Amino acid sequence: MTASSPRTNVQLAREGIILAGAGAAIGLQVAHRSVAAGVQQHSNFTADPLGRLRRTLQYIFAVVLPEAQPARGTVIDWVARAHVPVEGVVDGAPYSAADPQTQRWVTATLYWTAEQIRWRIWGERLAADDAEQIYRSYAVLGTALGMPEASWPEDRASFQRYWDQQMSTLQVTAVGRQIMTDLFAAHSVPTWLRAAMPLARFLTAGLLPADIRCQLGWDWDGAKSIREDRLWRILRYAYPRLPTGIRYAPARIVVAGLPAVSRD
């Protein structure tokens, strides 16, 4: 018997397979000019990708998972302080990590990629109420940092319209392409992880919308589509059959490293 599809944001957040969408989320984020500029000018992202991933997961889990709630205030404060200096000018327009539209886009990429993974692994169409519950709960990833609740599209239909509009305006710049190149070059990560980067890049390329993949200059053809489909078929069969102790291990490890007491 296989595990049923997660029906809440908490259940979905615990699933380690969601990390397979991390590269696609980053690719979509840096296709936004302001995000790409902020990463280039104010982040050590490519020098310490594992550290950046760990901090991102600490934030997500502290905000979402009940067992991480004692650390929620502390982690939110960490992230908020880290975002204070992230501002500047790109193409003559100011940008800031505190901009609600930027926060909305980053949150949207996390929701969209998680849904792509959920569908590929479980392939189950959720009841409307469950799907809406997961969707609405993603707003907290932005609102915890100050994004107004009204900025998050009110339902999935509104989100789809927002997503389509954003996709029509995204443009991967040379900065965004370099960030993604450096990410998968993985010069500063352990050798064992660097060996996994070709597979991670392949999964990322398959998840990304075709236009973004094309703007990145990543080749994709019918043979790669067939290989990707076969890979997801294997994962769809194997992953849900794993014990939850294995599936939830990344979340458990990250939560164990959080501060024990919130200092609100």
Side-chain angles (χ1 to χ4, degrees), residues 36-121:
V39 170
Q40 179 199 39
Q41 298 173 19
H42 301 278
S43 173
N44 65 344
F45 176 78
T46 55
D48 184 22
L50 283 181
R52 177 61 180 267
L53 176 61
R54 183 182 67 254
R55 291 187 291 274
T56 299
L57 293 176
Q58 286 177 329
Y59 173 72
I60 292 173
F61 294 151
V63 170
V64 172
L65 298 184
E67 62 267 32
Q69 289 306 290
R72 190 177 196 271
T74 300
V75 174
I76 290 174
D77 184 58
W78 286 349
V79 177
R81 284 189 282 112
H83 282 178
V84 168
V86 182
E87 58 182 14
V89 177
V90 59
D91 296 333
Y95 71 84
S96 168
D99 174 45
Q101 294 185 23
T102 302
Q103 292 174 339
R104 177 174 57 181
W105 176 243
V106 171
T107 304
T109 65
L110 296 175
Y111 167 73
W112 185 86
T113 52
E115 275 294 286
Q116 295 300 307
I117 301 297
R118 187 193 65 77
W119 176 256
R120 282 166 169 78
I121 292 297

Side-chain angles (χ1 to χ4, degrees), residues 17-30 45 53 112-113 116-117 120 176-177 179-181 183-185 196-214 216 218-220 224 227-228 231-232 235:
I17 193 64
I18 296 300
L19 294 177
I26 293 167
L28 286 161
Q29 289 165 21
V30 301
F45 176 78
L53 176 61
W112 185 86
T113 52
Q116 295 300 307
I117 301 297
R120 282 166 169 78
R177 285 189 290 274
I179 290 170
M180 294 298 285
T181 297
L183 172 64
F184 289 104
M197 281 299 150
L199 176 60
R201 187 184 183 280
F202 180 73
L203 285 170
T204 296
L207 286 167
L208 283 171
D211 182 54
I212 300 302
R213 189 169 58 221
C214 181
L216 284 169
W218 290 6
D219 295 332
W220 195 260
K224 289 182 178 179
R227 286 171 51 206
E228 184 206 18
L231 176 57
W232 281 111
L235 292 172

